[in-house]
Amino acid sequence: MADATGPGTGRLSRAALPGARRIVFGETADATIDDELYLMTAVDRAHLVMLRARGLIGAADAATLIAAIDDLDRDGYRALRGRHAPRGLYLLYESHLAEVTGAEVAGRLHSGRSRNDLKATICALRLREWHAAVLRETLRTEAVALNAARRHRAAVLAGFTHFQPSVPITYGYYLAGVAAALGREADRLLAEIPHLSRCPLGAGAMAGTDLPIDPELTARLLGFAAPHPVALDAVASRDSVSAVLAIAASVAVTASRVALDLQLWTSAEPGLLRLPDDLVGSSSAMPQKRNAYLLEHVRGRAARVLGAHTAVLAATRSAPFSNSIEVGTEAMAEAWPAYGHTVDVLRLLRMHLSGAQPRADRMAGHAAGHWTTATAVANRLVVEGHPFRRAHEVVGRLITGIESGRPVRPGTPIERRAAELLDTLDVGEAVRAARFGGGPGPESFTALWPRLHAGLRGRAAAAAGHLDVAVHWRQRLLDQVDAAEGSDVQGNDDRVDSDQFDAAAVEQPVGPLVEGGVGV
């Protein structure tokens, strides 16, 4: 067998040009080693157990290869670091196995598969981990927002529309709205789980294989529910990556909008919220400054997630529906950092939702000073029998007169009553009255919060198994490979039953999603 790092491939006599090689594979394989090799070696362990169970590799050769893979893992892949990869990481890794075990043994590893389905499987494993991370952080941030909502449910705040004070709400009510939005994003992430549970391994280059492999077994070993049903789709598609990235982008947009509100409210004017010192920065030149700079990072990183989603779709749109480098390599390179940015955005936002403290008196005074009770005044006039449009016009004219220094002298009964209500209706009373239509009134909030809390708990329960697999699948694989190595599997007639490799611990509860548990 030709050296996989050298020029010979059986078909080609020369490797790629050095300049092209550096562009595509890098000067060395180190970056891809850190990103992918732990997944590649995991897939190889599962594949070897399956090949042995089907009699496609002898027990001794399978054990030799698994031992070589174990040694490489334990050593942090040191034998491959700093080396050139003229034809990619996989063939560099395969050549190392050939050096260690001999070409005859190592040459059996790739039986019944292609780099196409191997790469798609690595992508699916990587996506499962990132999807779980984004889901976990979304649920945690939802829980923190709900905690803060209940804590600050009485802090009156002017709601804003078009950056102008509008009607009185509470800071807790605002945070309940944030929690509800995050809950919907978590629902969307949960809906993707069935699509993430199919394993591409076994699809081969694009049409399966004529070797008698057992994709059910490898799928179970790797923590998937089942193999992918259509080989072509398995290697051609990365739509789950773009679908999860679309949700991540939506999560990031929500976080960015909240970050903008928090930064406006913590500015010197109106100064409605105060952040602790560990969430602000000072100025190198202006000693009085307390800059909420971390919120700018939330907004900036959200933009990077949006950009990545656009790049993934743009790279995919013009590719043929088959295995394709622009989809499987170039587009995916944009996706993985974007998931990390989403996790960072949620963690930064969560710190601020937990740490921001409302300045209650200033909040209430700001709401009162900007006529936020005006709609409530008009509604009182409606209850007393006046048409809303007439009440709206009268209240607006009275406020304009007061602000211009030329007050309107109330002459009609509706004007006199409107002027009286403008003088006497308190912002707190206006909030308390807003108990219909999902408003911020105490009665409404008391009914709303348990529903939001129950939704969070339901989502956490639905996510638990998926999060557990995403965290523990590799250790379970190692345990199951060890168990398989100790069995007496010999050939096709005495194959390992796939059910033996069920992840028995999948139903164990996942750890708490937030400090102190999911309960809020």
Side-chain angles (χ1 to χ4, degrees):
M1 185 178 77
D3 179 0
T5 63
T9 67
R11 173 65 168 163
L12 305 178
S13 61
R14 292 194 298 271
L17 290 170
R21 194 169 65 230
R22 283 192 294 272
I23 291 170
V24 174
F25 300 121
E27 191 65 42
T28 71
D30 287 8
T32 20
I33 285 172
D34 292 330
D35 287 341
E36 292 187 6
L37 197 51
Y38 76 101
L39 298 171
M40 192 177 293
T41 58
V43 173
D44 280 355
R45 287 185 179 91
H47 189 62
L48 283 166
V49 169
M50 183 277 296
L51 291 177
R52 179 189 168 195
R54 297 297 286 174
L56 294 169
I57 188 172
D61 287 349
T64 298
L65 281 166
I66 287 173
I69 293 169
D70 288 345
D71 289 342
L72 190 62
D73 273 342
R74 276 193 295 268
D75 201 32
Y77 316 113
R78 187 170 58 181
L80 302 183
R81 294 188 182 277
R83 292 178 61 176
H84 299 288
R87 288 162 49 214
L89 174 63
Y90 175 72
L91 291 174
L92 173 65
Y93 157 64
E94 188 182 76
S95 74
H96 168 77
L97 294 180
E99 293 166 8
V100 172
T101 68
E104 189 72 17
V105 173
R108 300 184 187 281
L109 172 61
H110 207 50
S111 303
R113 73 178 188 197
S114 162
R115 269 194 293 182
N116 295 357
D117 62 335
L118 172 61
K119 189 159 189 165
T121 304
I122 290 170
C123 178
L125 290 168
R126 201 170 179 184
L127 175 60
R128 187 171 67 190
E129 292 183 346
W130 275 120
H131 172 272
V134 174
L135 175 58
R136 183 184 299 109
E137 296 304 323
T138 302
L139 290 170
R140 286 174 170 170
T141 309
E142 180 189 359
V144 168
L146 269 181
N147 263 325
R150 186 170 61 176
R151 192 164 61 248
H152 302 306
R153 62 189 180 275
V156 174
L157 168 71
F160 284 78
T161 58
H162 307 288
F163 292 94
Q164 302 298 317
S166 57
V167 294
I169 58 173
T170 70
Y171 183 48
Y173 176 76
Y174 172 86
L175 294 172
V178 173
L182 292 172
R184 285 195 304 280
E185 303 293 6
D187 285 338
R188 295 179 183 114
L189 288 165
L190 287 168
E192 279 298 312
I193 291 177
H195 304 299
L196 305 181
S197 64
R198 300 171 302 181
C199 182
L201 198 62
M206 65 181 291
T209 176
D210 54 358
L211 290 174
I213 62 171
D214 184 0
E216 291 277 356
L217 174 54
T218 46
R220 289 175 181 273
L221 282 167
L222 294 169
F224 293 98
H228 203 292
V230 182
L232 172 59
D233 186 31
V235 299
S237 298
R238 297 295 189 274
D239 54 291
S240 285
V241 174
S242 57
V244 175
L245 189 53
I247 303 167
S250 184
V251 169
V253 166
T254 296
S256 179
R257 297 177 70 188
V258 176
L260 177 60
D261 287 341
L262 296 182
Q263 190 162 24
L264 289 172
W265 297 342
T266 55
S267 62
E269 295 295 337
L272 306 178
L273 294 173
R274 183 173 178 83
L275 294 174
D277 285 355
D278 52 11
L279 288 177
V280 297
S282 189
S283 163
S284 65
M286 296 163 282
Q288 83 282 8
K289 295 294 293 296
R290 297 182 86 256
N291 299 323
Y293 73 102
L294 293 172
L295 292 168
E296 296 175 24
H297 283 288
V298 171
R299 301 207 306 278
R301 295 208 180 192
R304 294 164 76 175
V305 180
L306 289 174
H309 183 228
T310 302
V312 167
L313 294 178
T316 304
R317 70 170 184 85
S318 59
F321 192 73
S322 181
N323 181 70
S324 176
I325 285 175
E326 60 260 55
V327 177
T329 300
E330 297 295 342
M332 296 305 98
E334 301 297 324
W336 311 124
Y339 294 131
H341 296 326
T342 307
V343 168
D344 291 342
V345 160
L346 287 167
R347 288 176 176 170
L348 285 172
L349 179 64
R350 193 160 67 242
M351 296 173 195
H352 289 79
L353 295 180
S354 178
Q357 292 299 316
R359 302 171 72 176
D361 291 343
R362 187 156 184 166
M363 272 187 174
H366 176 266
H370 287 85
W371 305 105
T372 60
T373 60
T375 301
V377 168
N379 288 338
R380 294 288 178 91
L381 295 173
V382 168
V383 170
E384 293 173 7
H386 299 284
F388 176 78
R389 193 53 60 203
R390 174 63 175 153
H392 182 282
E393 186 272 332
V394 167
V395 173
R397 187 155 45 83
L398 289 173
I399 291 172
T400 298
I402 294 169
E403 288 188 340
S404 67
R406 296 187 295 275
V408 174
R409 180 175 296 175
T412 64
I414 188 175
E415 290 173 340
R416 289 194 293 273
R417 179 58 174 151
E420 177 188 356
L421 288 170
L422 282 172
D423 285 340
T424 60
L425 186 59
D426 176 74
V427 288
E429 183 183 351
V431 168
R432 289 190 291 274
R435 61 185 186 273
F436 303 104
E443 292 177 28
S444 176
F445 190 93
T446 299
L448 166 70
W449 194 90
R451 291 201 300 271
L452 294 176
H453 179 247
L456 169 63
R457 292 197 65 85
R459 283 184 280 275
H466 177 68
L467 298 179
D468 184 55
V469 169
V471 170
H472 298 299
W473 72 271
R474 194 164 180 270
Q475 184 56 54
R476 289 175 185 151
L477 169 66
L478 295 175
D479 293 343
Q480 292 172 108
V481 170
D482 287 345
E485 282 301 293
S487 66
D488 296 322
V489 179
Q490 297 293 333
N492 293 335
D493 295 332
D494 190 23
R495 54 174 294 198
V496 174
D497 187 336
S498 297
D499 290 339
Q500 175 180 334
F501 293 95
D502 270 329
V506 159
E507 295 184 7
Q508 291 179 353
V510 73
L513 293 171
V514 291
E515 295 73 18
V518 177
V520 287

